[in-house]
Amino acid sequence: MPKVSMTVNGKQVSGEVEGRTLLVDFLRVNLGLTGTHVGCDTSQCGACVVHVDGKSIKSCTMLALQCDGTEVTTIEGLAKDGVLHPMQEAFREHHGLQCGFCTPGMIMAAIDIVNRHPNGLDEATIRHELEGNICRCTGYHNIVKAISSVANKRAAQAA
Amino acid sequence: MNVTGIGQRVLRKEDRRFITGKGKYTDDINLPRQTYAYFLRSPHAHARIRAIDKAAAEAAPGVLAVLTGADLAEDKIGGLICGWMIHSKDGSPMKAGPHPALAQDKVRYVGDHVAVVIAETLNQAKAAAELVEVDYEALPAVVETAKARSASAPQIHDIAPDNTVFEWSLGDAQAVEQAFARAHHVTRLDLVNNRLVPNPIETRAAIGDYDSGSDSFTLYTTSQNPHVARLVLSAFIGIAPEHRLRVIAPDVGGGFGSKIFIYSEETVCVWAAKRVGRPVKWVSDRSEAFLADAHGRDHVTHAELALDQNGRFLALRVKTTANLGAYLSTFSSCVPTYLYATLLSGQYDLPAIYAEVDAVYTNTAPVDAYRGAGRPEATYVIERLVETAARDLNIDPAEIRRRNFIKSFPHQTPVILTYDAGDYEASLNRALELIDYRNFPQRRAMSESRGRLRGIGFSTYIEACGLAPSAAVGSLGAGVGLWESAEVRVNPTGNVEVLTGSHAHGQGHETTFAQLVSERLGISIDQVSIVHGDTDKVQFGMGTYGSRSGAVGMSAIAKALDKIEAKARKVAAHVMEASEADIAFENGAFTVKGTDRKMAFGEVALAAYVAHKFPTSEIEPGLKESAFYDPSNFTFPAGCHICEVEIEPATGETTILNWVAVDDFGTIINPMIVEGQVHGGIAQGVGQALTEGCRYDAETGQLITGSYMDYCMPRAEDLPSFTLDYTVTPAPSNPLGVKGCGEAGAIAAPAAVINAVTDALGVRDIPMPATPEVVWRAAQSRAPRLAAE
Ligand code: FES
Ligand code: FES
């Protein structure tokens, strides 16, 4: 079986995978990083979003082998020394989660959205940018609020 | 006021694990030596199974077993059951066809369970499943509700002629007849309540495990009520006696009703674990969820409302056909009957109601409770009728409601329920103010000047939740009592563990329940942990559905807390050498009235365990109490939702511009969590109204909407931000005054949206989901109106 190596949450990892092994399965099964979830089999729901080389991708749509040599960040890698990432804080602060199942993918997608819009985000843009992620619990209201609060704080700091 | 007590916007205790990826859902659990189950499912909507040849599959690499219905029968494993008996008008019991966990003679819907392959890896199980040869004799199928009883429809269960499960009725047919005879006006509508797929983002999953040392089973499963799952698996299906079967429902990623039921898959996994002598794991993929999770709704209804010349309602007559799918799921029979027809009175003083409900089998996935369960269907009927009647008689939709609201309580409806408290006018008034109803005509004119159509729609809904009381549901055919249990364990160091029979899958119980304890005992919520979801830890429970965790589950905790306080007083009295009558308990401290003697709650807890300072012959050591709580009535949350839409006639696109919800949930424990519940409920209701519809091919019975590619789940862009407010009339039937909020949005929303869309288009009715195509067609046929105005 082919071997794959990558940096996951700052740690060098490697493993043997089948050609068809998806990144999400490599993370969940080989590495035991079960924070990344699977919600569908058609790349529609976004429960599996992680960052590969700093960009959000659906880990159910990428083969583990394609990620050879990349830098992967999962939900487990966001908090540093027990300090939550501002987006994690914002989701809690604004009640942006209920069952928590879509949440890791939402947070990873949200961070990328904010990164790509350093000058702030309006509600319509946030809603549009969330088109790849489904949440069945929250009605998105509070997710939008959480993302908006981080984006606006970031923009205010930059200004 | 206690900062973590009742009424506070306390941030959720459970969030930390979810936002850091440390939640433990069933699929995150892996047992040593585990194997993988893959279900072979029927490709036919209806077929006889002539033979199954599994030899090649059994010989395939990695395969441990290929099991079929014959193996289930050999082990005397019983079929799945429906737990609520409904009788037809003629007194005959409902016709419950057999429902084996793996098909035994016939398959009755696409996705029905034919066999299970258990292998070392999932890929090996899938590959081997391809080798199972099933000799099917395909039979004609019927999937449409309205056609289930047509002469050409095939018979699905031998026991049920004409595919009829029951023909049930409620209310006074004669009184209704008389009222219609003297009516000034009758408004009639034919309504379809579209079939939905619940779609929690975590799909169902199960791991069965068997310990031959103790001859006992463990099942990890995505369940909303693990104790009832154990009861059914034990007492009816016959897996193992209850004391040798443990059911664990860990973190569960949403349920919305679809995870209340006992399904084939978990039954098979726990049974097969003994057969193969190793743990058996199954995780549904999304396509399987579409095929085999219990669906929701699916009613075809003809409804008539009789009015006098002043727009007062005289009587309501409803005839509904409910599609229950190919088998009766766990609670399917009570949804279109006692959870539906009993709510047809809505918020209105309706002197007479008569409802007939015929339930039918079709070659489709079983239909059971989905968020609101029966109540959204009832609200849709009455609220569409009321809005249409207002238009028929040229009365303002707010005014016609006001004229007919129930104004004094308690109020006995003609369909069983006694509403105990409410103030419907107050919520309507507040909602009108928040949406700025007065200026709606200007906003509409503004839209029309831009070539757009604007509409406004009302939904003044009611629901009965906090399912209970046991005696009442028992007399209506329920197979279980609907109380709840709780145990409060105060540790010697003064922190508290609460064991509850409720189950949380997104509702934030770990926070709200802890808030109650914090308020009552005067301790911080950090000193409280909530334990649920494990039948080995919690003695018994009825689970979470029908917004019963607050009204029933928390009331059980409150009752146990009463006992804790009473016991602690005794201990405190002895330790402080005072009479019990002189002990006061306030802000977390016991004091002797009129003295400076005082003990903090934690000190009393320690004294209760140390037991040096009181006679243990009179007072048992320890501080741990349990309670079973059975309420005296349902609770009746109600409210007013108003939706304002704008339609682009050229594309048929509907945009929700404004959503106001003013709900009465009685006492609110945590407003932040309640708001989240309302948002989520509205989103599901909007989904039903505008985008979601489960479709089967009428000829072949194939599921057409079988993935997120073709079943349109609402995304962030499909929804607005919502404006919420509350009125408060505490529920008299429970000690906390809470009513329940989980389903309100899903109940109110479909009628509000469709009332707004039909208002915008100037049409009498439009089917759900009102997709852009449906709306575009309607807009085209109404084009002259826009041109003329
Ligand atoms: S699991 Fe990757 S998009 Fe759904
Ligand atoms: S929080 Fe449950 S799916 Fe988003």
Side-chain angles (χ1 to χ4, degrees):
Chain A
M1 271 199 287
K3 205 177 145 186
V4 65
S5 303
M6 60 185 93
T7 309
V8 177
N9 300 332
K11 258 208 256 152
Q12 189 66 31
V13 299
S14 57
E16 290 192 342
V17 294
E18 288 184 73
R20 62 179 162 183
T21 301
L22 299 167
L23 175 59
V24 65
D25 291 324
F26 181 69
L27 294 171
R28 286 182 58 84
V29 180
N30 297 49
L31 305 183
L33 293 172
T34 54
T36 303
H37 295 152
V38 175
C40 70
D41 30 47
T42 51
S43 290
Q44 302 283 311
C45 75
C48 62
V49 171
V50 299
H51 293 173
V52 175
D53 289 336
K55 289 202 183 93
S56 68
I57 61 107
K58 289 181 170 171
S59 62
C60 72
T61 315
M62 206 156 178
L63 298 168
L65 285 176
Q66 287 176 287
C67 301
D68 196 46
T70 62
E71 190 127 353
V72 176
T73 308
T74 71
I75 189 76
E76 289 95 340
L78 283 186
K80 298 269 183 279
D81 305 322
V83 180
L84 295 177
H85 185 282
M87 192 62 80
Q88 290 173 307
E89 284 286 8
F91 267 65
R92 179 166 139 81
E93 188 75 27
H94 295 278
H95 189 35
L97 64 149
Q98 288 180 26
C99 77
F101 196 81
C102 73
T103 310
M106 272 297 171
I107 289 177
M108 299 311 285
I111 290 171
D112 189 43
I113 294 170
V114 172
N115 285 344
R116 285 185 287 103
H117 295 83
N119 301 323
L121 278 158
D122 60 21
E123 182 181 330
T125 311
I126 295 172
R127 288 184 181 275
H128 181 68
E129 288 278 346
L130 279 176
E131 68 182 352
N133 290 68
I134 297 175
C135 176
R136 191 54 151 171
C137 297
T138 62
Y140 306 100
H141 181 111
N142 287 338
I143 291 177
V144 172
K145 262 176 40 188
I147 298 174
S148 156
S149 81
V150 175
N152 295 338
K153 253 184 235 155
R154 176 87 74 87
Q157 277 162 11
Chain B
M1 185 186 263
N2 189 330
V3 290
T4 53
I6 289 173
Q8 303 295 307
R9 308 179 76 88
V10 178
L11 296 186
R12 298 204 318 173
K13 282 159 71 78
E14 47 272 81
D15 283 354
R16 187 160 184 105
R17 69 176 184 276
F18 296 136
I19 56 180
T20 55
K22 299 292 182 198
K24 261 268 177 295
Y25 302 89
T26 302
D27 187 28
D28 301 339
I29 295 167
N30 292 294
L31 302 182
R33 301 178 66 241
Q34 108 193 341
T35 64
Y36 296 83
Y38 181 76
F39 284 85
L40 184 67
R41 295 175 183 278
S42 170
H44 298 286
H46 197 192
R48 197 169 303 287
I49 298 176
R50 289 209 201 95
I52 300 177
D53 181 354
K54 52 186 194 179
E58 279 172 332
V63 172
L64 287 102
V66 180
L67 303 172
T68 65
D71 300 305
L72 273 175
E74 187 185 295
D75 283 1
K76 304 207 166 33
I77 299 298
L80 309 185
I81 57 145
C82 177
W84 197 304
M85 174 52 79
I86 298 295
H87 287 86
S88 284
K89 285 177 284 213
D90 65 7
S92 63
M94 68 185 187
K95 309 285 187 289
H99 188 186
L102 296 169
Q104 287 176 346
D105 56 338
K106 261 174 126 190
V107 282
R108 294 180 172 88
Y109 67 101
V110 171
D112 202 354
H113 312 70
V114 177
V116 65
V117 181
I118 296 162
E120 297 284 350
T121 71
L122 181 58
N123 283 332
Q124 286 173 330
K126 280 186 186 173
E130 302 272 327
L131 305 174
V132 178
E133 282 195 29
V134 187
D135 182 8
Y136 292 108
E137 176 194 341
L139 301 169
V142 61
V143 297
E144 287 169 276
T145 313
K147 295 202 178 136
R149 299 200 288 175
S150 66
S152 60
Q155 181 152 335
I156 297 169
H157 287 279
D158 295 341
I159 186 182
D162 297 327
N163 296 322
T164 303
V165 186
F166 53 76
E167 293 179 321
W168 178 87
S169 71
L170 184 65
D172 187 338
Q174 222 185 341
V176 166
E177 203 72 42
Q178 285 163 2
F180 271 81
R182 59 169 206 278
H184 164 74
H185 175 80
V186 175
T187 292
R188 296 187 174 85
L189 278 176
D190 286 295
L191 300 164
V192 173
N193 209 288
N194 44 324
R195 175 185 279 242
L196 303 174
V197 184
N199 273 314
I201 302 303
E202 181 210 32
T203 56
R204 288 188 295 119
I207 310 170
D209 191 17
Y210 174 70
D211 177 358
S212 61
S214 58
D215 190 25
S216 60
F217 293 83
T218 303
L219 172 67
Y220 299 83
T221 180
T222 50
S223 174
Q224 297 176 222
N225 58 354
H227 288 90
V228 174
R230 181 182 63 163
L231 176 67
V232 172
L233 287 167
S234 168
F236 297 94
I237 299 178
I239 299 287
E242 261 183 296
H243 64 297
R244 285 196 275 113
L245 176 58
R246 176 182 186 185
V247 178
I248 300 172
D251 284 332
V252 172
F256 316 116
S258 70
K259 292 174 180 168
I260 310 173
F261 320 121
I262 318 307
Y263 287 93
S264 291
E265 291 89 353
E266 69 248 32
T267 306
V268 167
C269 284
V270 68
W271 160 70
K274 183 173 179 182
R275 277 250 175 179
V276 300
R278 288 172 61 181
V280 176
K281 181 174 189 173
W282 168 77
V283 180
S284 172
D285 61 29
R286 184 58 57 185
S287 317
E288 285 183 287
F290 274 97
L291 288 172
D293 284 5
H295 293 171
R297 320 280 192 250
D298 207 338
H299 282 193
V300 172
T301 295
H302 176 73
E304 303 174 320
L305 182 66
L307 301 97
D308 72 11
Q309 56 274 35
N310 302 317
R312 296 274 322 203
F313 306 157
L314 299 175
L316 172 69
R317 186 157 55 199
V318 174
K319 169 112 184 132
T320 292
T321 305
N323 186 349
L324 300 187
Y327 301 97
L328 298 189
S329 171
T330 317
F331 296 116
S332 60
S333 57
C334 71
V335 175
T337 50
Y338 290 110
L339 294 181
Y340 164 69
T342 54
L343 270 303
L344 283 168
S345 197
Q347 298 188 353
Y348 310 107
D349 189 355
L350 248 159
I353 297 176
Y354 180 64
E356 285 185 338
V357 179
D358 297 344
V360 297
Y361 286 116
T362 59
N363 296 112
T364 60
V367 177
D368 207 321
Y370 166 60
R371 203 165 191 168
R375 293 150 286 185
E377 295 92 316
T379 295
Y380 193 65
V381 169
I382 184 75
E383 288 303 290
R384 288 285 298 119
L385 268 180
V386 166
E387 195 96 355
T388 310
R391 291 176 202 164
D392 284 352
L393 298 176
N394 215 1
I395 304 174
D396 181 277
E399 172 55 26
I400 201 169
R401 287 176 165 87
R402 215 187 292 280
R403 254 181 233 178
N404 287 284
F405 278 153
I406 293 161
K407 293 187 182 80
S408 71
F409 296 87
H411 173 88
Q412 173 67 54
T413 73
V415 277
I416 300 181
L417 299 177
T418 307
Y419 300 169
D420 50 11
D423 186 347
Y424 307 143
E425 223 174 326
S427 52
L428 173 68
N429 289 342
R430 179 72 183 130
L432 290 173
E433 190 182 311
L434 284 173
I435 204 141
D436 188 16
Y437 187 56
R438 262 190 321 148
N439 290 312
F440 175 73
Q442 279 99 296
R443 300 199 292 277
R444 169 175 264 176
M446 203 177 67
S447 292
E448 294 202 347
S449 72
R450 301 194 342 256
R452 307 246 169 97
L453 302 169
R454 194 183 278 246
I456 195 162
F458 291 70
S459 180
T460 49
Y461 74 96
I462 186 154
E463 66 167 317
C465 55
L467 292 188
S470 297
V473 297
S475 72
L476 303 178
V480 288
L482 288 175
W483 40 263
E484 195 46 89
S485 86
E487 184 176 321
V488 175
R489 295 180 184 166
V490 180
N491 296 319
T493 49
N495 51 40
V496 176
E497 290 166 89
V498 177
L499 287 71
T500 168
S502 299
H503 182 276
H505 32 282
Q507 299 91 339
H509 293 174
E510 288 167 43
T511 305
T512 35
F513 289 12
Q515 284 179 256
L516 168 62
V517 178
S518 162
E519 172 93 16
R520 284 293 306 272
L521 300 182
I523 59 179
S524 135
I525 60 164
D526 296 332
Q527 284 174 266
V528 184
S529 67
I530 307 296
V531 179
H532 70 97
D534 183 342
T535 60
D536 262 16
K537 293 185 181 160
V538 179
Q539 191 204 338
F540 208 87
M542 297 306 301
T544 287
Y545 44 89
S547 292
R548 64 191 305 279
S549 297
V552 193
M554 284 182 82
S555 294
I557 298 173
K559 195 173 162 190
L561 286 168
D562 289 343
K563 296 184 189 176
I564 290 282
E565 189 184 320
K567 170 85 180 281
R569 271 173 193 283
K570 280 202 173 82
V571 173
H574 273 275
V575 175
M576 292 192 279
E577 294 173 340
S579 103
E580 217 183 302
D582 287 338
I583 299 288
F585 180 50
E586 239 176 18
N587 300 325
F590 293 89
T591 52
V592 181
K593 285 179 209 159
T595 74
D596 59 0
R597 273 174 288 168
K598 180 175 180 168
M599 284 178 85
F601 177 75
E603 293 177 86
V604 176
L606 185 64
Y609 284 92
V610 173
H612 293 170
K613 302 248 173 78
F614 57 87
T616 55
S617 57
E618 280 170 42
I619 306 172
E620 270 181 45
L623 193 51
K624 176 179 89 107
E625 298 287 345
S626 65
F628 284 67
Y629 172 79
D630 196 2
S632 56
N633 196 356
F634 300 93
T635 66
F636 298 95
C640 176
H641 287 220
I642 307 179
C643 164
E644 193 170 325
V645 300
E646 192 176 61
I647 288 169
E648 166 58 84
T651 62
E653 195 186 347
T654 300
T655 307
I656 297 174
L657 299 174
N658 232 327
W659 195 290
V660 164
V662 180
D663 296 293
D664 179 355
F665 300 134
T667 307
I668 288 176
I669 309 290
N670 184 327
M672 178 192 82
I673 288 176
V674 166
E675 283 156 21
Q677 290 286 310
V678 177
H679 299 157
I682 297 172
Q684 288 183 331
V686 169
Q688 166 161 31
L690 293 181
T691 66
E692 293 180 48
C694 174
R695 296 265 160 78
Y696 285 90
D697 181 90
E699 290 300 308
T700 63
Q702 293 295 325
L703 180 63
I704 297 169
T705 46
S707 77
Y708 287 155
M709 311 273 281
D710 30 44
Y711 182 92
C712 186
M713 293 281 282
R715 292 173 190 268
E717 240 183 338
D718 301 322
L719 295 160
S721 286
F722 312 102
T723 305
L724 267 47
D725 201 359
Y726 306 99
T727 54
V728 179
T729 63
S733 61
N734 66 68
L736 302 169
V738 302
K739 293 185 177 176
C741 61
E743 297 152 317
I747 292 172
V753 174
I754 297 301
N755 284 341
V757 170
T758 50
D759 181 49
L761 292 167
V763 298
R764 190 172 177 83
D765 193 22
I766 198 158
M768 295 193 290
T771 59
E773 189 206 337
V774 168
V775 171
W776 179 82
R777 283 183 194 285
Q780 297 314 301
S781 66
R782 301 301 298 177
R785 181 193 119 184
L786 199 58
E789 275 166 12

